[in-house]
């Protein structure tokens, strides 16, 4: 039998073993599921990437993790303990797992969070600044004196906490060679502290700024005197009148 007849015979035999119109199913094992650690690691990578759209999408997914997936996410806090990218810190913060930060780093993070295009995040950040204004007013006053981005949020937090010790710094900002934005922020905070009747002008001449500042400075001296009297009364000192 020559080679050509042999090929034809084999083809016929193979065809006879198969029912017409049907194909023999091939048993292929199911692909293994992607390990949770690999999947979370991929999302963290997207979060920290330079692709803003992909980063935001990864953030949304990561902040909504629950159960074992959340536990796996939080384990990355130990794997990248020195990572301080605010996007990563925000994911941890939303899971109530923000690492310990020094005061300045904490302020930086809260100002970043508050400046995002999200009212939800802005309100949370401002609330935390208010807590800091009540517990660590000196830290925020020092930061306010240094100026820079976010000074309006710090000024509002100090005013909401009724931190009168912030008045001298706010007056320096108001009367100093600052931007219109900084002057308006200082004027608003001073109004919250000293009252609407003493509201300083947000726009005016240098002389008008000095005049308005002096009205608040006189009020501030009165408040200091009253505070000293109250302190003396608590210590058992004489009370006038």
């Amino acid at each position: 039998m020559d080679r050509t007849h042999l090929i034809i015979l084999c083809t016929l035999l193979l065809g006879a073993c198969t029912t017409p119109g049907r194909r023999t199913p091939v048993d292929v094992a199911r692909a293994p599921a992607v390990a949770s650690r690999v999947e979370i690691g991929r999302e963290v990578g997207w979060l920290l990437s330079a692709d803003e759209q992909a980063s935001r999408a990864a953030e949304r997914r990561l902040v909504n993790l629950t159960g074992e997936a959340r536990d796996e996410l939080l384990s990355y806090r130990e794997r990248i303990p020195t990572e301080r990218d605010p996007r990563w810190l925000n994911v941890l913060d939303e899971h109530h797992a923000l690492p310990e930060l020094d005061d300045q780093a904490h302020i930086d993070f809260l100002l970043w969070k508050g400046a995002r295009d999200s009212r939800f995040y802005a309100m949370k950040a401002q609330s935390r600044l208010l807590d800091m204004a009540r517990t660590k007013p000196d830290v925020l006053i020092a930061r306010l004196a240094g100026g820079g981005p976010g000074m309006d949020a710090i000024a509002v937090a100090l005013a909401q906490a009724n931190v009168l010790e912030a008045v001298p710094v706010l007056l320096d900002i108001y009367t100093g060679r600052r931007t219109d934005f900084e002057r308006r922020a200082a004027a608003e905070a001073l109004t919250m502290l000293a009252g609407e009747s003493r509201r300083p002008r947000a726009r005016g001449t240098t002389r008008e700024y000095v005049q308005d500042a002096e009205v608040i400075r006189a009020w501030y001296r009165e408040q200091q005197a009253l505070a000293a009297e109250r302190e003396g009364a608590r210590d058992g000192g004489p009370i006038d009148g």
Side-chain angles (χ1 to χ4, degrees):
M1 181 180 294
D2 60 27
R3 180 180 179 83
T4 301
H5 286 89
L6 180 61
I7 293 174
I8 293 172
L9 179 60
C10 291
T11 302
L12 292 172
L13 290 172
L14 288 172
C17 296
T18 305
T19 303
R22 295 179 62 185
R23 294 183 179 180
T24 303
V26 179
D27 186 12
V28 178
R30 180 177 297 178
V34 178
S36 178
R37 176 176 299 184
V38 174
E39 188 173 352
I40 298 299
R42 184 183 300 131
E43 293 287 3
V44 172
W46 279 118
L47 173 74
L48 299 176
S49 73
D51 186 327
E52 183 177 351
Q53 185 174 354
S55 177
R56 292 235 175 189
E59 179 189 40
R60 287 192 295 271
R61 291 189 291 269
L62 289 171
V63 298
N64 288 308
L65 292 178
T66 59
E68 293 181 3
R70 178 181 181 274
D71 293 339
E72 185 60 43
L73 168 68
L74 297 186
S75 73
Y76 270 84
R77 189 175 57 170
E78 309 305 323
R79 296 175 198 168
I80 50 175
T82 60
E83 180 59 67
R84 290 298 181 264
D85 188 303
R87 297 172 296 180
W88 171 240
L89 293 179
N90 190 59
V91 168
L92 293 178
D93 189 39
E94 290 305 303
H95 284 288
H96 307 287
L98 187 69
E100 185 174 351
L101 304 172
D102 63 47
D103 289 334
Q104 296 307 316
H106 197 187
I107 293 171
D108 287 339
F109 169 64
L110 292 178
L111 293 180
W112 174 87
K113 184 165 185 160
R116 303 188 68 190
D117 55 349
S118 165
R119 180 175 174 79
F120 174 71
Y121 284 150
M123 291 178 65
K124 291 181 73 171
Q126 194 64 36
S127 177
R128 300 261 288 282
L129 283 173
L130 178 58
D131 289 340
M132 185 174 283
R134 289 168 174 157
T135 58
K136 298 182 177 181
D138 293 345
V139 172
L140 286 186
I141 290 173
R143 182 63 175 259
L144 182 65
M151 62 80 59
D152 56 323
I154 295 174
V156 168
L158 289 166
Q160 288 178 325
N162 198 36
V163 180
L164 297 185
E165 293 79 6
V167 169
V169 172
L170 288 169
L171 287 173
D172 287 343
I173 294 172
Y174 177 72
T175 58
R177 292 180 178 274
R178 300 296 184 102
T179 65
D180 289 342
F181 172 78
E182 290 177 316
R183 180 173 286 111
R184 285 195 300 270
E188 190 60 36
L190 288 167
T191 301
M192 293 173 66
L193 288 167
E196 188 64 38
S197 64
R198 301 180 186 84
R199 174 181 286 275
R201 278 164 280 208
R203 295 180 65 88
T205 65
T206 300
R207 182 174 182 176
E208 288 172 333
Y209 294 148
V210 172
Q211 289 174 343
D212 289 353
E214 186 52 42
V215 171
I216 295 179
R217 193 169 283 111
W219 168 83
Y220 177 62
R221 287 193 292 264
E222 292 175 1
Q223 299 307 304
Q224 286 183 304
L226 290 172
E229 288 182 11
R230 288 192 293 268
E231 186 66 26
R234 282 196 296 269
D235 293 340
I239 302 177
D240 292 338

